[in-house]
Amino acid sequence: MILTRRHLLLGATATLAGCDRLARNESFRETLFSAENFHKWAQRGLMAPDALAREFRPDQISPVFRANGTANPNTPAYKALWHGGFADWRLNVTGLVSRDLSLSLSQLRTLPHREQITRHDCVEGWSAIGKWRGVRLKTILDGAGLRSGARYIVFRCADDMGGGRPYYESIDLADAFHPQTILAFALNDRPLSVANGAPLRLRVERQLGYKQAKYLMGIEAVDSLAAIGKGKGGFWEDHADYDWYAGI
C-alpha cells in the first residue's frame, strides 16, 4: 500500500485520540502541528527508520538533470580546484569526532560505494530522476568516529551566496545514517559536472532538493545548530525561512 499524506493524517488522528490530555494542551498542539514538526513526526513516527525513498529503473532516468541552486561557485579558490581536476581538493571531517579526516577524491572513489536511481524534487516545483554513485555518509562518520555529544552533521560548501557567505546545510543523525544518504561523486555514470555539484555533493533522498548540498568542502559534527549561521541549520532556512526538515 502506498503511504499517502491522507494515510499519515488519518494515522496521526487515531494516535492522538488516545492522548487527550496532551491534545488539549495549546503549546503541544502548536508544536506538533507546525508544518515542519508535524511532517518530521509523521515521517519519522509512522515509517520505519530505514524506509527507502522510491528507486527507479534505468529506463526512467530523465534525459536532462537540471542544476538546482548555484550552477558554478566561480570563486578563485573553486576555479583553481576545478582546473586542476580536483586533484588538490580535500573533504575535511571535523568537529565532535575522534579523528579528523582529510580525504581526497581518489580516496573516496576507492571506498565501498552505493548506486541508487532516485527522484530529485526541487522546492521550485520541478523534479528529475538520476542515477547517483557515492560513498555512504555512515562510512565516513564511522571512519572519523562520532563522539557521544554529536547530534547533527553540518555540510560546508564552496559556493559563495554573496558577501563571502558560503552555503551550508545540516541534517540529524537519523538521516546521516540512513542507507540512501550518500556523498555522491557521479551522476548517470559520469563524474559530477560543475553544475551538479562537482566534485562531491550530498544526497539525502527523503528530503527536498535544497537539502542536497553541492560543492562539499567540509563536514562537521556538532551538538547544536545554534552557532551555525543564524541558528536554523541551513542557508535558506536562515535567509528565507525554509523548513529545516524538508522530508518528502
Side-chain angles (χ1 to χ4, degrees):
M1 181 182 75
I2 298 174
L3 187 63
T4 64
R5 182 180 296 272
R6 175 175 169 81
H7 287 114
L8 291 177
L9 289 170
L10 289 173
T13 300
T15 300
L16 288 176
C19 303
D20 190 57
R21 179 179 59 82
L22 287 176
R24 289 196 301 267
N25 184 298
E26 183 176 353
S27 62
F28 173 82
R29 291 198 310 272
E30 289 177 354
T31 299
L32 177 62
F33 289 104
S34 68
E36 179 176 345
N37 284 294
F38 176 73
H39 201 177
K40 182 178 179 181
W41 175 85
Q43 190 178 67
R44 294 278 178 83
L46 300 180
M47 299 175 68
D50 58 352
L52 301 180
R54 180 183 174 186
E55 297 194 17
F56 296 81
R57 302 186 310 270
D59 64 290
Q60 294 175 295
I61 292 173
S62 301
V64 175
F65 197 98
R66 290 175 56 180
N68 64 304
T70 303
N72 186 335
N74 211 31
T75 64
Y78 181 82
K79 287 191 286 188
L81 292 170
W82 174 26
H83 293 312
F86 298 106
D88 295 329
W89 172 89
R90 295 292 184 274
L91 177 70
N92 296 307
V93 184
T94 60
L96 294 176
V97 295
S98 299
R99 296 168 293 279
D100 287 355
L101 301 178
S102 181
L103 301 169
S104 68
L105 189 56
S106 60
Q107 286 175 316
L108 287 170
R109 286 172 172 162
T110 64
L111 294 173
H113 62 262
R114 174 184 170 90
E115 293 184 347
Q116 55 203 36
I117 301 175
T118 54
R119 188 180 66 206
H120 178 102
D121 291 301
C122 182
V123 71
E124 296 172 349
W126 61 268
S127 63
I129 295 172
K131 178 182 179 182
W132 303 96
R133 182 188 308 131
V135 180
R136 285 188 62 186
L137 179 55
K138 179 182 185 298
T139 300
I140 303 302
L141 298 179
D142 285 348
L146 283 185
R147 290 161 55 186
S148 60
R151 295 182 58 209
Y152 302 95
I153 306 300
V154 178
F155 302 90
R156 310 285 189 180
C157 306
D159 40 341
D160 184 352
M161 305 303 289
R165 301 176 300 173
Y167 194 82
Y168 53 95
E169 253 305 341
S170 64
I171 58 176
D172 63 15
L173 297 190
D175 276 321
F177 284 93
H178 187 271
Q180 287 175 314
T181 299
I182 64 174
L183 305 179
F185 48 73
L187 171 61
N188 296 337
D189 295 319
R190 296 182 178 180
L192 282 180
S193 66
V194 169
N196 280 308
L200 193 73
R201 72 176 293 167
L202 174 67
R203 293 302 305 175
V204 52
E205 300 294 358
R206 299 194 300 179
Q207 298 210 37
L208 288 171
Y210 65 87
K211 300 294 290 190
Q212 325 290 330
K214 302 195 296 186
Y215 315 113
L216 293 182
M217 300 296 293
I219 295 175
E220 181 184 6
V222 300
D223 61 354
S224 169
L225 298 177
I228 307 303
K230 295 182 179 180
K232 296 182 180 179
F235 181 85
W236 290 118
E237 292 90 323
D238 282 337
H239 296 279
D241 288 328
Y242 281 24
D243 287 342
W244 173 78
Y245 188 76
I248 53 176

